[in-house]
Amino acid sequence: MKRRDILAGLGAGAVAAGLTACAPPGSGPAASGGTGEVIRWKMVTTWPPGFPGLGTGAANLAKLIGELSGGRLQVQVYGAGELVPAFEVFDAVSSGTAEMGHGAAYYWKGKSEAAQFFASVPFGMNAQELNAWFYYGDGLDLWREIYEPFGLIPAPAGNTGVQMGGWFNKEINGLGDLDGLKMRIPGLGGEVLRRAGGTPVNLPGGEIFTALQTGSIDATEWVGPYNDLAFGLHQVARYYYYPGWHEPGTCLEAIFNADAFNALPADLQSICTNACKVATQSMLSEFTARNQQALETLVSEHGVELRRFPDEVLARLRALSEEMLDEMAAADPMVARVHGNQKAFQQGVTSWHEISEEAFYRARSL
Ligand code: CA
């Protein structure tokens, strides 16, 4: 998820927002959590505090852990830049500077190329399917294996649901319309666009509006109606395309310092992992509710023109995605394991969803 972007808006505003409480002396990874003892943790995040859906999701997770533990485990949340910069969250939790972090796994491809497969994959699984893979397939085990050498324990802790395809100032009627298109679209999706003849650009969220307004980019994706409306992207682009083929259900992550987590009594460990499950469902519910409200505002109040990518374009992007993923798997043994496992699970769940979710969606709109 794209949230490298989010960091953008951060800076001063994030710091000024003021969640910078001081951790009490003596708090730290070694706390044992005996009777009556209050354990205080720090959670560093890649989001501005209070950023809709994502920053608030991290804050809700921290609050939930405090409530479920009856106050025995209290987690102080730090926005990006308040304790460490956004992209140092992984290292900060790994080293024990903070006991916990919240971000997205595709930020850490520099640590492991395979990490990004735990956030979102073009034409991959949606939120429901991805969670099934994590908890009832091999997903979480593989993820833990990859983070283990870093002294980290990961957990899904949020999901945006299917994102939007993005904002354009010209219609996309065929593959030729992607040729030469300069679009802000990070990560795996950006690489697919490049293979389709476009020019992917990676910009932080806070720079998107101006870049599109001045014409330094032709198009952009961000998240979905809830977040895109907040950025005012409808003011600088006419067409709003769907579906978000590149991010079909982006998973946010919680990471725990392994020493700190393992020092917790079993009930607090269970509270942490189960609070992450609640956070995932809660964020998905929030995005589902807010996206539909924001979409109505965009279309009925701001005159945004919704467009669906033509089948020809989607089919080509899908073929290019598969080609890219196979090449990545051939180049990295861990990517090969993760992608192979994910692909097999996706094929199975697709067979089931064709006659369940998908068939029902169709039936509902007859
Ligand atoms: Ca995005």
Side-chain angles (χ1 to χ4, degrees):
M1 172 170 168
K2 53 219 142 330
R3 318 276 135 35
R4 148 169 325 218
D5 353 326
I6 292 179
L7 316 179
L10 328 200
V15 175
L19 286 181
T20 42
C22 297
S27 65
S32 65
T35 306
E37 180 181 359
V38 173
I39 301 171
R40 297 183 192 278
W41 274 9
K42 296 182 281 293
M43 181 204 289
V44 288
T45 74
T46 56
W47 327 118
F51 190 83
L54 305 171
T56 53
N60 289 340
L61 173 59
K63 182 166 176 274
L64 186 59
I65 290 172
E67 289 172 356
L68 291 172
S69 67
R72 291 163 56 213
L73 176 54
Q74 297 182 15
V75 182
Q76 177 71 50
V77 179
Y78 294 84
E82 289 184 333
L83 193 61
V84 297
F87 294 142
E88 288 179 21
V89 163
F90 189 97
D91 286 336
V93 181
S94 176
S95 68
T97 298
E99 293 80 4
M100 193 176 171
H102 192 273
Y106 53 27
Y107 291 147
W108 320 127
K109 65 179 250 182
K111 304 293 183 184
S112 167
E113 190 72 14
Q116 52 198 327
F117 286 76
F118 299 92
S120 200
V121 174
F123 295 97
M125 291 186 276
N126 67 15
Q128 184 176 345
E129 295 163 346
L130 200 53
N131 286 324
W133 180 62
F134 282 134
Y135 290 111
Y136 293 92
D138 298 324
L140 191 51
D141 287 341
L142 283 165
W143 199 1
R144 285 178 170 165
E145 183 181 331
I146 290 168
Y147 279 24
E148 195 276 334
F150 301 96
L152 293 171
I153 298 171
N159 197 299
T160 65
V162 181
Q163 299 201 0
M164 284 293 282
W167 297 87
F168 298 79
N169 276 310
K170 68 171 186 181
E171 289 187 90
I172 304 299
N173 295 316
L175 289 166
D177 292 316
L178 296 178
D179 204 34
L181 187 80
K182 199 170 176 185
M183 179 174 181
R184 183 270 176 198
I185 172 172
L188 295 172
E191 172 59 18
V192 174
L193 178 72
R194 191 185 64 72
R195 288 170 183 242
T199 303
V201 177
N202 192 7
L203 284 178
E207 295 177 21
I208 294 176
F209 182 93
T210 302
L212 199 52
Q213 188 178 42
T214 60
S216 70
I217 56 173
D218 304 314
T220 188
E221 71 83 52
W222 176 227
V223 183
Y226 180 30
N227 294 113
D228 294 7
L229 174 64
F231 269 0
L233 297 177
H234 56 283
Q235 298 169 39
V236 286
R238 179 172 175 185
Y239 302 109
Y240 198 19
Y241 269 82
Y242 65 92
W245 55 272
H246 61 304
E247 293 192 70
T250 302
C251 173
L252 291 312
E253 70 173 9
I255 46 177
F256 298 93
N257 176 280
D259 291 338
F261 185 87
N262 292 330
L264 293 176
D267 64 331
L268 291 184
Q269 290 181 356
S270 176
I271 283 169
C272 285
T273 53
N274 284 290
C276 287
K277 290 184 181 177
V278 173
T280 294
Q281 185 58 50
S282 179
M283 188 184 293
L284 186 60
S285 300
E286 182 185 2
F287 271 98
T288 302
R290 304 284 187 233
N291 274 333
Q292 64 90 8
Q293 293 163 354
L295 180 64
E296 188 175 329
T297 300
L298 286 168
V299 172
S300 57
E301 291 183 26
H302 299 298
V304 166
E305 298 186 46
L306 279 178
R307 292 286 188 277
R308 182 181 184 278
F309 288 120
D311 285 349
E312 173 207 13
V313 171
L314 290 171
R316 180 61 182 152
L317 292 171
R318 186 183 162 202
L320 290 170
S321 297
E322 287 185 10
E323 178 187 290
M324 174 193 73
L325 295 170
D326 288 343
E327 283 179 21
M328 289 176 68
D332 184 314
M334 186 53 86
V335 168
R337 279 181 66 200
V338 173
H339 175 56
N341 193 284
Q342 209 171 48
K343 193 172 174 180
F345 192 92
Q346 182 173 335
Q347 284 169 346
V349 81
T350 298
S351 298
W352 161 237
H353 272 175
E354 279 173 0
I355 63 162
S356 56
E357 303 288 333
E358 191 177 339
F360 174 70
Y361 279 9
R362 283 198 193 128
R364 197 167 60 178
S365 41
L366 286 175

